[in-house]
Amino acid sequence: IGYNAFGDCDNILEVKIPDNVSVIEINAFCNCSKLSKIELPDTTLDIHSSSFAGTAYSGDLNNWKNNVLYIGKHLINAKNSLLTGTYQIIEGTITIADSAFDRNLVNSLGFTSVIIPNSVKKIGDNAFSSCTGLKNVFIGNGVVEIGEYAFSECTSLTEMKIPDSVLI
């Protein structure tokens, strides 16, 4: 689903993405203010953090877990006030969206370590970009792809082991 494909469509109430859709680009459903129900298949691995920004779904606090927005098994975005210390991504998560924790987009991320479970298959482009306090990254053995610049400008990063499962 392309860039801004359905952006600002106020008449969309719900979306069920079919299994054959693998990519949801930047702002695909951005500012669809009445969009409150979203179903994403496990096969959609390429999602941008702004794909569903400004929707009723993203505005519903029930869809946020520990200041992080999830759509099904996909971690989409982090709020401005994320916890400090170690952040453990929920077991069962399949995707960490592009720019999900990007400090340039999400202010005052104070966590120093992140634990990525074995269930995660893809860490998106710029996922943790500019998280300058991030020192340790523990990546599970299920990760197959780490996107471009996923950990760029993480100037405090001192420990990260990339498992053999990573192909890209």
Side-chain angles (χ1 to χ4, degrees):
I1 300 174
Y3 170 80
N4 206 30
F6 297 96
D8 298 311
C9 291
D10 287 334
N11 56 343
I12 298 175
L13 304 176
E14 60 183 70
V15 170
K16 182 176 182 180
I17 306 296
D19 288 343
N20 64 343
V21 173
S22 60
V23 177
I24 302 175
E25 291 187 9
I26 297 171
N27 298 339
F29 294 91
C30 186
N31 296 324
C32 293
S33 61
K34 295 178 185 173
L35 178 56
S36 61
K37 184 175 179 187
I38 303 167
E39 291 183 40
L40 292 178
D42 295 351
T43 53
T44 303
L45 297 179
D46 194 355
I47 306 166
H48 194 275
S49 64
S50 70
S51 297
F52 299 97
T55 63
Y57 185 93
S58 67
D60 184 346
L61 296 179
N62 293 318
N63 297 320
W64 293 81
K65 297 172 184 153
N66 294 327
N67 292 321
V68 176
L69 178 66
Y70 279 84
I71 299 176
K73 297 179 181 178
H74 306 280
L75 187 158
I76 304 299
N77 205 344
K79 277 193 176 181
N80 287 346
S81 56
L82 194 65
L83 63 121
T84 59
T86 299
Y87 181 75
Q88 182 157 355
I89 292 175
I90 297 171
E91 180 64 45
T93 301
I94 294 173
T95 305
I96 301 171
D98 295 351
S99 302
F101 292 90
D102 184 337
R103 186 153 190 245
N104 291 323
L105 301 175
V106 181
N107 298 323
S108 68
L109 293 178
F111 63 102
T112 56
S113 298
V114 64
I115 300 170
I116 300 170
N118 292 335
S119 60
V120 172
K121 294 179 181 175
K122 180 179 181 188
I123 301 170
D125 296 347
N126 299 300
F128 296 92
S129 178
S130 301
C131 290
T132 55
L134 189 58
K135 295 178 183 179
N136 307 299
V137 178
F138 304 98
I139 300 174
N141 292 322
V143 175
V144 176
E145 181 176 350
I146 299 175
E148 291 182 359
Y149 308 106
F151 297 95
S152 70
E153 298 182 38
C154 292
T155 54
S156 298
L157 191 59
T158 58
E159 181 182 6
M160 178 168 63
K161 182 180 178 201
I162 299 173
D164 292 339
S165 61
V166 174
L167 303 173
I168 300 173

